[in-house]
Amino acid sequence: MSKIPPEVLQSLAEELQIHTLISIEAGRLGHKHLKMPRLKLYDKKVMELEKLARSLKEAYPDGWAGERESLVTLLVQKGYPRRQAVELAGALEAKGYAHFLPGERPRWVFTRRPLDLKALMRALDHEYQAFVGEGDEEEEALAFLTARLEGDREVAREVLEALRSAGYVETAYSPELLRDRLFFRFPEALGLWA
């Protein structure tokens, strides 16, 4: 049985609530045969996009090395017509399943669930220095990311590995903490501060 994402359940609950309120009001006003639009249980295109995102994550757990246009090339190699590959690449990125990380080792990374990776990187850049966690430097960074991802440690680990693969993470000695710590360095090309 597949798990329906919380945002989809929320959307369905809101549609059902609106449908119920309209039906009650219509009945109150004497409209017995008011036709209501049918509720969409799940948008087929969203399901297909999620399936594609999962398959990319499984096939390329460490991401896909290459420049920005390489995701379209990858999708064309997988059999999609070029026009559809361009649309799918844009949709994967817009929905937060695919993330391009420029820099010395440019790559696309894929996540199991949609997320705003730029917001996470901004948090790492602005808030992580003040965060002091328990355990070694890896555990400390995972604790910070897990808290930002509402307790999803698996995705936190994926994000940390993606940032490391792109060359954004380094281990160095912290004189303030008297121990090693992970430091995050993001290239200006990401546009985190725009």
Side-chain angles (χ1 to χ4, degrees):
M1 187 168 125
S2 64
K3 185 177 176 187
I4 298 175
E7 57 270 13
V8 173
L9 290 175
Q10 179 66 34
S11 174
L12 288 173
E14 290 170 2
E15 284 186 48
L16 184 58
Q17 186 178 26
I18 291 168
H19 181 272
T20 303
L21 290 173
I22 291 172
S23 295
I24 291 169
E25 188 62 20
R28 191 179 70 75
L29 296 173
H31 299 286
K32 295 178 183 174
H33 302 292
L34 182 66
K35 285 197 171 206
M36 295 302 300
R38 299 183 104 195
L39 295 176
K40 292 188 291 181
L41 290 179
Y42 208 87
D43 185 7
K44 187 176 179 181
K45 287 186 178 184
V46 171
M47 259 177 45
E48 290 172 5
L49 194 64
E50 289 175 352
K51 184 178 176 184
L52 175 59
R54 272 194 312 275
S55 71
L56 288 170
K57 178 62 187 161
E58 290 169 8
Y60 308 100
D62 297 327
W64 176 258
E67 295 297 329
R68 177 166 274 290
E69 64 279 353
S70 67
L71 179 56
V72 172
T73 304
L74 173 64
L75 294 173
V76 168
Q77 290 171 359
K78 291 202 165 286
Y80 291 98
R82 180 149 187 81
R83 183 173 176 218
Q84 186 180 12
V86 169
E87 291 172 4
L88 284 171
L92 285 167
E93 188 172 18
K95 294 290 184 187
Y97 288 107
H99 312 275
F100 180 66
L101 301 177
E104 292 178 23
R105 296 179 279 182
R107 65 191 320 99
W108 281 94
V109 294
F110 311 104
T111 53
R112 293 183 194 286
R113 71 173 221 207
L115 57 92
D116 185 348
L117 189 59
K118 282 191 176 183
L120 273 176
M121 289 189 284
R122 276 191 294 274
L124 284 166
D125 190 57
H126 296 297
E127 301 167 27
Y128 182 69
Q129 289 179 338
F131 178 80
V132 178
E134 295 182 11
D136 65 8
E137 62 272 12
E138 182 97 5
E139 281 302 313
E140 182 179 52
L142 281 173
F144 180 86
L145 288 168
T146 300
R148 294 295 180 280
L149 292 166
E150 300 168 355
D152 195 334
R153 189 172 173 87
E154 187 176 345
V155 174
R157 186 173 300 284
E158 289 174 7
V159 167
L160 184 58
E161 288 308 313
L163 296 176
R164 185 176 279 131
S165 296
Y168 298 170
V169 182
E170 62 184 50
T171 304
Y173 183 76
S174 170
E176 297 87 16
L177 299 176
L178 302 175
R179 64 175 171 85
D180 283 347
R181 183 158 210 219
L182 293 185
F183 290 89
F184 298 89
R185 310 267 188 259
F186 302 111
E188 288 184 32
L190 277 169
L192 295 179
W193 304 273

